[in-house]
Amino acid sequence: MDSITQFSLGAVIGIAVSPKKTAKVALISGLVATIPDLDIFLSHADDLTRTIEHRGFSHALFYLSLISPLIAFLLYKSFALMGYLRWLLLVFLVLATHPILDSLTIYGTSLFLPFSDFKPMIGSIFIIDPVYTLPLIISISYLFIRKKVLFIRNISFNTIALIFSQVYLLSTFLIQQAIVPNGKSFATPTPFNSLLWRVVIMEDDYIRQYFVDIFGNKGMEIKVENRHYLKNINSQVVNKYADFSSDFYNLAIDNNKLILQDLRMGNIKNPSFSFVVAEFSKGKWMAVVPSRNAMNFQLKGMFANEQL
């Protein structure tokens, strides 16, 4: 999810856990919640590796559990706001909920390192969803501006916002399960909502895509040729990305370049993520260091970074 959502969720959880409902607690909690996304500053060998390694070890529940006691101790020594055990609970919860929430998007998240390389990519919520985030922002904004928690009929709006957002997550998951077809396929919401969904179906010869709303109204279907057979041109790189994307990828040839396309974001004819992995020169294909497809990056760059 985007950084604003992660910060807001962390801040709301912090207020729920802390005996002191102050803006300082919310700010600290929100900042701690964004720690897993510091991996965007790590250096990688190429664009494709950078994409795969994002949401890597910094999003693993095991490693976050290991660093939670240290962060809690530093906060306990720095701020006289609560006891160490309460800090520990707060830190663990805001760190753990970050990758769990990320795993509900269509981008893979390494929850289970170092025990498993499996990256859950449930895809039941878009990377930015105002319905989920706005109640959290309202709760924290009121606290920052008025210096107190908002109450509605003697019920903390912080609690209301937290419960509402999680119920909304459950509802999007249930909608997804009703929409997604059988077989090798996925269904994920279109940008900024959970009313219209994009469905992609992988077949041996073709890859099909259509849009459907929550009432079952289905739009026009489009399809492209399944060109996985081209992976032998640079099988090492393609196989690596195939594992990362759960095989939801395709290959295209454009201007003597082999383009690896991630079908999970954007659409099957113009994906948000695509990489040049080989070039045709002097009568033969040559594998190259993977790089972001320049035209694709210009068109889809607004969704190319975390906010994933």
Side-chain angles (χ1 to χ4, degrees), residues 184-290:
K184 184 67 175 178
S185 62
F186 68 84
T188 193
T190 53
F192 316 124
N193 79 103
S194 58
L195 300 177
L196 183 65
W197 293 66
R198 183 172 72 99
V199 177
V200 174
I201 303 171
M202 305 291 295
E203 297 176 338
D204 291 339
D205 297 323
Y206 292 98
I207 300 166
R208 299 188 288 122
Q209 173 188 286
Y210 61 85
F211 293 89
V212 60
D213 64 26
I214 59 173
F215 304 107
N217 299 311
K218 182 178 173 182
M220 183 178 67
E221 182 176 284
I222 62 173
K223 66 180 182 180
V224 297
E225 182 185 354
N226 185 333
R227 308 186 79 181
H228 283 196
Y229 62 87
L230 294 173
K231 68 179 182 179
N232 290 331
I233 295 173
N234 190 347
S235 59
Q236 182 177 5
V237 167
V238 174
N239 287 338
K240 182 178 180 181
Y241 204 89
D243 183 61
F244 167 66
S245 65
S246 296
D247 277 334
F248 289 114
Y249 77 94
N250 203 19
L251 293 160
I253 296 176
D254 181 43
N255 195 27
N256 290 326
K257 295 179 180 180
L258 182 67
I259 312 297
L260 172 63
Q261 303 172 323
D262 191 324
L263 303 178
R264 296 172 299 167
M265 293 154 279
N267 65 70
I268 61 173
K269 290 191 174 181
N270 189 15
S272 296
F273 288 88
S274 65
F275 307 87
V276 177
V277 296
E279 295 182 352
F280 191 77
S281 178
K282 297 180 181 180
K284 62 180 180 179
W285 284 101
M286 300 291 294
V288 298
V289 175

Side-chain angles (χ1 to χ4, degrees), residues 1-2 6 36-37 39-40 44 50-60 98-113 117-122 125-127 244 264-265 305-308:
M1 295 292 284
D2 64 287
Q6 295 290 9
D37 282 339
D39 67 344
I40 64 174
H44 297 286
R50 183 180 299 109
T51 300
I52 292 176
E53 294 300 324
H54 179 48
R55 294 192 186 178
F57 71 92
S58 69
H59 286 62
H98 179 127
I100 292 173
L101 180 59
D102 277 349
S103 70
L104 296 176
T105 69
I106 199 64
Y107 196 96
T109 305
S110 300
L111 286 180
F112 307 118
L113 287 177
D117 290 331
F118 173 64
K119 296 187 176 185
M121 36 163 276
I122 295 171
I125 191 168
F126 188 66
I127 56 176
F244 167 66
R264 296 172 299 167
M265 293 154 279
N305 299 316
E306 177 80 17
Q307 324 306 350
L308 292 175

